[in-house]
Amino acid sequence: MSLYDFAKGFFRLLFKLMGWKVKGAENLPTEGPVILAINHVSLWDPVVAACSLSRQVSFMAKEELFRIPVLGRIFSKVGAFPVKRGQGDMSAIRKSLEILKEGRVLGLFPEGTRSQTGEIQKGLPGMVVLMEKSKATVVPVKVYGTRNLFTKGWGNIGVVVGKPLTAQMLKAPEGVTNRREWIADRIMQALLELPEAK
């Protein structure tokens, strides 16, 4: 058993005890390249999102996390890889495209950083570049209840998986001056509109 599968089994059990809810898991395509566009409010978001999905997810995570002893090694073992924020990290882009070209699932937090208010922020157009180059489907995923997970998350933790969005569905109309920003906004709007599981 891989470390990813072991960790997923352990946390799924823990989250179930906490009243974890999952809605729309069937919306994740069973094969082919997929980009998950996930909102970001807590360091627990990737763990909760990954436990909610049937396919393994490779997450792009900020480089600083990989410098933490032990934790950095664990991240690498479960398929995460570092990105230097605030600059065009070509190594992270190449790794992302490699994952997608292999028909796997890439987990992104398109806001670029955690939301301090809990509200969904503007999405960065980098995910659109990856979508265009890989021809991957984008799936919006809303995670909630992860802030102060072990104090306030009990009974409130959940994940909602939205309907897949294809490049054709996200085609910008003529006259749009910044096509990638327009597409990123449509993806974030789809994420915003996902209703929390009841």
Side-chain angles (χ1 to χ4, degrees), residues 10-146:
F10 172 81
F11 283 113
R12 281 178 66 92
L13 178 59
L14 176 61
F15 295 151
K16 283 180 181 178
L17 293 174
M18 296 178 69
W20 166 58
K21 302 177 186 71
V22 180
K23 181 179 180 180
E26 69 281 359
N27 289 328
L28 179 71
T30 56
E31 58 184 22
V34 174
I35 296 171
L36 303 179
I38 311 167
N39 64 309
H40 199 15
V41 294
S42 164
L43 289 174
W44 285 101
D45 296 337
V47 181
V48 175
C51 287
S52 305
L53 301 168
S54 57
R55 297 175 65 183
Q56 182 167 339
V57 184
S58 295
F59 284 96
M60 183 188 289
K62 62 181 181 180
E63 183 186 38
E64 295 87 339
L65 294 174
F66 290 82
R67 298 178 190 156
I68 301 172
V70 182
L71 185 61
R73 288 176 60 85
I74 292 173
F75 277 7
S76 295
K77 286 283 188 182
V78 297
F81 60 98
V83 60
K84 295 175 183 176
R85 297 188 301 172
Q87 55 185 288
D89 187 343
M90 292 308 298
S91 176
I93 292 171
R94 284 194 294 270
K95 180 62 178 177
S96 298
L97 290 174
E98 176 186 312
I99 288 166
L100 294 169
K101 286 177 180 178
E102 290 174 356
R104 295 157 57 196
V105 181
L106 175 68
L108 296 181
F109 298 101
E111 295 160 289
T113 188
R114 280 176 287 164
S115 169
Q116 298 302 311
T117 63
E119 299 296 321
I120 292 176
Q121 310 296 306
K122 189 175 181 63
L124 301 175
M127 64 175 163
V128 180
V129 176
L130 294 174
M131 179 193 78
E132 292 175 342
K133 289 184 176 296
S134 66
K135 311 301 182 189
T137 297
V138 176
V139 175
V141 177
K142 180 183 284 185
V143 177
Y144 61 92
T146 54

Side-chain angles (χ1 to χ4, degrees), residues 139-156:
V139 175
V141 177
K142 180 183 284 185
V143 177
Y144 61 92
T146 54
R147 297 183 85 182
N148 304 309
L149 181 64
F150 294 105
T151 55
K152 298 181 180 178
W154 296 84
N156 298 313

Side-chain angles (χ1 to χ4, degrees), residues 177-189:
T177 54
N178 191 325
R179 181 175 50 81
R180 286 174 176 163
E181 183 176 317
W182 185 93
I183 294 171
D185 287 346
R186 300 289 79 71
I187 294 170
M188 299 309 290
Q189 185 63 34

